[in-house]
Each structure stands twice: as structure tokens, then as C-alpha cells.
Amino acid sequence: MTFPDNFYWGAASAAYQVEGAYNEDGKGPGIWDALSEGHVKHRENGNVACDHYHRYKEDVALMKEMGLKAYRFSVSWPRIMPSEGVINEKGLEFYRNLVKELTDAGIEPMCTLFHWNLPMWLHEKGGWYCTKISDYFEKYTETVVEALSDKVSYWMTFNEPACFIGCGYVMGNHAPFEKCMDMEHPEEMAQKIALLSKNVLLSHGKAVQAIRRCAKKAPKIGMALNASLFTPENTSEESVEAARAATFSEQGAFWNLNWWADPMVKGEIPRAMKDVISGEEREIICQPLDFFGFNNYNTNDYDEYEGRNERAWPGMPRTAMDWPITPDALYWAVKFIYGRYGLPVLITENGMANLDFVMSDGKVHDPQRVEFLKVYLAGLKKAVGEGVPVIGYMYWSILDNFEWAEGYDKRFGLVYVDYRTQKRTRKDSSYWYAEVIANNGADL
Ligand code: BG6
């Protein structure tokens, strides 16, 4: 058994994390540009990042060297719409050039429309609280799709709404650094979360409609969700069902997958959002999708805050992010997702931060990452062997990059970036991954 012939072996990135050029060629400020000072480790920011905006040709050449079949990137909304009603042609030109470079190299471009850096002018209108934001998102989507859809077929509306709502508006550790978490007024908090989520869901639905309407070639549309994932403790059916039930919690909270995916895919609205979403809105949100994109790094069976840490043990393997290494994660993720939603799955992110540095031989040896990939991909392969349709795997990330509030210390890349010189060095894992791609996972 190997992966399907047309399996998309790829890697991912996001605009603010790699592009830099934060104020060039007509780009407007986004919430990360304007508000992150004082919120990021070592007072770092994404102003320059990997300078991918100027170095995309070199980066695509590295992808080609590795034999990547696909590259998942995101478009920066404030680069395209720097202020209300303004479309920045220069911004569109950058992405046109990028997708041309990719397709010329035989790499499938996969485009995420929103990966967190909301334009400041929209933030000033209330950001994700703004009741009109879905109309603005629809217009933005039309603009991007008109510009890129001669070459782009794969579209993802949102990256990790659980995270940009949860970290950005509930906990306040990501831009715009607002915190509505207030255990003394739980109803008010729940109401706010429901409204924020509704605006994201409506924006998703309108964007899917816009893509189908404007695309120049048949689009493949999905999203890139993340969520808590629980896995069985043993192979009994009971244990599997308990894990499934915990993953798709009946209570429905924004960190559960069903909070976002039930409305999007099944048109079913979780209880806590029922009062704020009308029947008509429900119809808009639930649009036919072509694939289910899922970002996953680990299961949540070992989290203290989930009260499940009895499964953890002192000194268990953890990445540089402190995230547990849980080899079965992708296996259960795609099985549970396909079982509930019936859509082909695309792993839109998976990977690890490691303590990488350039060694005295000039190379970056990262055996931990190779092992991580080996065990996670073996799980994915097992699920494929059991008949789950999986269309691709995007390693996070192609390059080391700006890890949001963590700054530049956490290195997820297949390619090492020296931020003083912008020199790129392929890590050992990138050579290993190239072999996996070349033999389509046969040796996993
Ligand atoms: C991505 C971010 O979408 O999610 C990454 O852009 C980040 O930089 C990752 O590491 C984190 O995912 P999660 O599921 O832990 O929120």
C-alpha cells in the first residue's frame, strides 16, 4: 500500500510569518503590524520575517529541489486592501508572480485567504465583531480569485478560526490582543464568542459562493481548521467512541471541531450559536465543499487544562513548543473527520519546532524532526490503507518563520533561515522528506 498517485506532498506558510515587506508597494497595516509591539518575545515582529516577498524565487527553487508537489501559502488582506475601497494592484502582482513561479516549477499553488493579519481599517470598524465583515471578506475574496484563479484551483477560506478568535479575542495573546474571557460573566462572554464565530462562519459561506462564482477554472474549496483532538486509550469500541465524543463535544465550544465544521459542512448549528444565527444565515454558511483541511500537531490527551494529564508522564517527548509528540494524531484525526463529515481530508499543517542551528559542518541536523515525520506519516498512511480519502499533506513550515507571540526562536522549517543574512540552509529533514516524496511514501 502506498499513497494515491496524485497525493499532494507539500509544505505550508502564511503571509505575515514569512513575507516581510510590511510597508512596501502600497501594503496597508494589519493588526499584527500595528498592534503587536510589546506582545511578542524579544520585542520581535514580522516587518522583515524571511523576506519572502523579495526572495520568493529562491524559495520556490528550494521547493522544486525537494520535489514538493504543492505549496500552501496565504494572501495578506492588508496588502490587497490597504484601506477601505482601495485595491492595491502591486499586492496582487506579487501573488500573480508567486503562483506563476510555482506553476512553472510544477508545484500546485494552494491559497489560504485569511491567515490572521486583519487589515487595521477593518479592525477599527470592530474587526470580527463588525456585522458587515462578511461583506468585506466576500469582496476581498472576489478580488483575489479574479486575480489568481487562472492558476490556482485549491482554496482555503480560513486558517484556524479557533485560534484567531480564541487567542485574538478571548485570551488576548494574539492580535488584536483583546480579552473577553471573563468567568464572572459567563453569559456575556458566551454571547461575544457566538457573535465573533457567526461572523467568521458567514464570511466563510460568502467566500465559498464568491469563489464558485468568480473562479476561472473549476475550484476545489475547503478550509484549514484546528481543534482539540482526543484519541482512544485502547482498541475497544468503547474507548474509540469516548474519544470521538470528546473530540466532537456535544457542549460545543469554539475549540471543538464541530463548532466550526458542523455549520460549514452539515448546516447544523451548535446550541450556543442557535440564538444568533438565522435560518437564512445557516443556508449561506453551509456551502458544498471539496475537501476538509485540518491542521494538527498533537492530540490533546496529555493537556493539563483538559484535565487529561493522567496520560502524560514526566519527561515525555515534547517539541520545542512544549507540545507532546503523539504519533497517532493524524491517524485518528482523518478517521474521525471523514467519519463525521464524509469529505476527503487535506492535512493543511503538521510539523514540529526543534532546537535547530547550523552546526560546525555547515549543516542543520534535525533527527528529531525526521523521527516526528516518520511516526506521524506512518499513522496517516495507516488511515489511507484503511480507505480514508486523504488528498495531501502540508508540512508546517517550508521555512523557519515568525511564530506569532513566540517570535523567531521556534523553528518549524524544513529550511533553516539565518535572520541576520536571510541565508537559507536545507535541514536534514528536507532531504529525508524529498525521498519520501520521490517514492510516494512507499518506505514509511
Ligand atoms: C498555524 C500557525 O496556523 O498554527 C503556526 O500559523 C502555528 O505558526 C500553528 O504553529 C499552531 O497550531 P495550533 O493548532 O497549535 O493552534
Side-chain angles (χ1 to χ4, degrees):
M1 201 289 307
T2 58
F3 288 86
D5 282 343
N6 51 358
F7 192 77
Y8 286 114
W9 295 102
S13 75
Y16 187 72
Q17 296 181 272
V18 298
E19 283 176 6
Y22 76 108
N23 61 356
E24 281 180 53
D25 293 342
K27 178 179 167 292
I31 54 176
W32 276 91
D33 300 292
L35 304 174
S36 63
E37 195 174 341
H39 294 279
V40 179
K41 244 189 185 168
H42 312 311
R43 310 199 60 184
E44 290 164 347
N45 59 49
N47 288 359
V48 178
C50 309
D51 197 29
H52 175 71
Y53 187 78
H54 298 113
R55 293 167 197 263
Y56 70 93
K57 287 193 177 175
E58 179 186 351
D59 294 336
V60 173
L62 287 167
M63 296 174 206
K64 190 175 176 185
E65 238 180 74
M66 285 176 223
L68 293 198
K69 308 276 188 218
Y71 172 53
R72 174 181 174 235
F73 66 99
S74 81
V75 172
S76 163
W77 194 350
R79 199 180 285 292
I80 304 302
M81 295 190 155
S83 48
E84 184 167 6
V86 174
I87 292 172
N88 179 28
E89 256 313 305
K90 279 263 182 189
L92 290 171
E93 194 183 307
F94 167 69
Y95 296 105
R96 276 198 205 99
N97 291 340
L98 172 64
V99 299
K100 177 161 190 315
E101 197 71 17
L102 289 163
T103 51
D104 285 353
I107 300 168
E108 183 76 37
M110 298 186 168
C111 178
T112 310
L113 289 159
F114 185 77
H115 201 129
W116 305 359
N117 198 19
L118 186 75
M120 237 353 237
W121 61 270
L122 259 167
H123 172 69
E124 280 154 10
K125 290 179 185 294
W128 290 104
Y129 285 113
C130 170
T131 50
K132 286 210 161 75
I133 195 163
S134 58
D135 297 324
Y136 289 110
F137 191 65
E138 181 180 3
K139 178 80 196 106
Y140 158 69
T141 301
E142 280 173 4
T143 307
V144 175
V145 171
E146 268 155 22
L148 305 184
S149 62
D150 56 333
K151 297 209 163 51
V152 175
S153 304
Y154 283 83
W155 300 93
M156 285 139 288
T157 54
F158 282 97
N159 181 72
E160 299 194 355
C163 207
F164 70 82
I165 296 302
C167 299
Y169 291 85
V170 183
M171 322 263 280
N173 57 325
H174 278 187
F177 308 100
E178 289 182 9
K179 186 174 177 175
C180 75
M181 191 156 81
D182 178 359
M183 293 314 188
E184 280 171 22
H185 303 95
E187 282 101 39
E188 254 170 60
M189 173 171 87
Q191 178 78 4
K192 283 183 178 163
I193 295 172
L195 284 174
L196 290 160
S197 304
K198 164 195 164 150
N199 288 333
V200 173
L201 289 167
L202 262 183
S203 302
H204 162 86
K206 290 184 185 178
V208 176
Q209 290 176 323
I211 299 167
R212 295 230 187 268
R213 201 167 55 231
C214 304
K216 294 177 186 150
K217 58 177 181 176
K220 303 269 189 207
I221 311 176
M223 44 9 197
L225 300 177
N226 71 317
S228 296
L229 170 71
F230 299 100
T231 60
E233 286 190 69
N234 57 52
T235 52
S236 73
E237 212 181 302
E238 250 181 5
S239 185
V240 173
E241 289 319 310
R244 196 196 308 272
T247 298
F248 304 111
S249 162
E250 274 295 307
Q251 311 298 337
F254 67 88
W255 54 84
N256 288 119
L257 197 53
N258 42 314
W259 179 265
W260 307 100
D262 280 13
M264 287 175 175
V265 184
K266 291 151 68 88
E268 288 169 15
I269 308 296
R271 216 177 309 148
M273 278 192 280
K274 281 227 159 87
D275 289 348
V276 299
I277 296 180
S278 71
E280 202 184 313
E281 289 166 336
R282 191 179 67 100
E283 305 271 300
I284 296 172
I285 292 167
C286 180
Q287 295 296 318
L289 295 175
D290 302 289
F291 65 90
F292 194 116
F294 192 58
N295 295 357
N296 180 269
Y297 293 82
N298 54 264
T299 78
N300 298 80
D301 301 306
Y302 306 90
D303 291 352
E304 269 162 58
Y305 72 89
E306 298 282 358
R308 292 193 157 225
N309 58 333
E310 71 272 14
R311 276 171 79 175
W313 67 93
M316 72 176 293
R318 290 180 188 269
T319 72
M321 292 292 282
D322 222 10
W323 299 346
I325 297 179
T326 59
D328 281 348
L330 298 183
Y331 172 77
W332 288 107
V334 301
K335 278 186 69 108
F336 282 170
I337 289 170
Y338 184 61
R340 187 175 179 98
Y341 299 107
L343 285 169
V345 185
L346 176 64
I347 297 299
T348 34
E349 285 179 25
N350 171 251
M352 73 171 283
N354 194 39
L355 295 177
D356 303 321
F357 49 89
V358 180
M359 300 188 176
S360 42
D361 60 358
K363 298 184 177 161
V364 181
H365 303 297
D366 57 343
Q368 283 83 358
R369 184 171 287 105
V370 171
E371 181 62 20
F372 178 100
L373 278 164
K374 217 180 258 176
V375 295
Y376 274 66
L377 286 174
L380 190 63
K381 183 172 178 172
K382 188 169 148 207
V384 170
E386 290 175 17
V388 180
V390 182
I391 61 173
Y393 171 87
M394 302 298 123
Y395 178 78
W396 180 272
S397 170
I398 183 67
L399 301 169
D400 291 338
N401 63 59
F402 177 77
E403 178 57 28
W404 309 109
E406 294 291 328
Y408 291 96
D409 284 354
K410 308 296 185 201
R411 294 179 176 275
F412 281 84
L414 291 168
V415 176
Y416 181 91
V417 178
D418 183 331
Y419 298 105
R420 296 166 302 182
T421 58
Q422 292 296 344
K423 181 171 186 246
R424 274 78 166 133
T425 305
R426 282 183 60 182
K427 300 179 191 176
D428 286 357
S429 57
S430 80
Y431 294 94
W432 181 87
Y433 190 43
E435 274 170 40
V436 171
I437 298 173
N439 68 22
N440 201 26
D443 295 339
L444 286 167

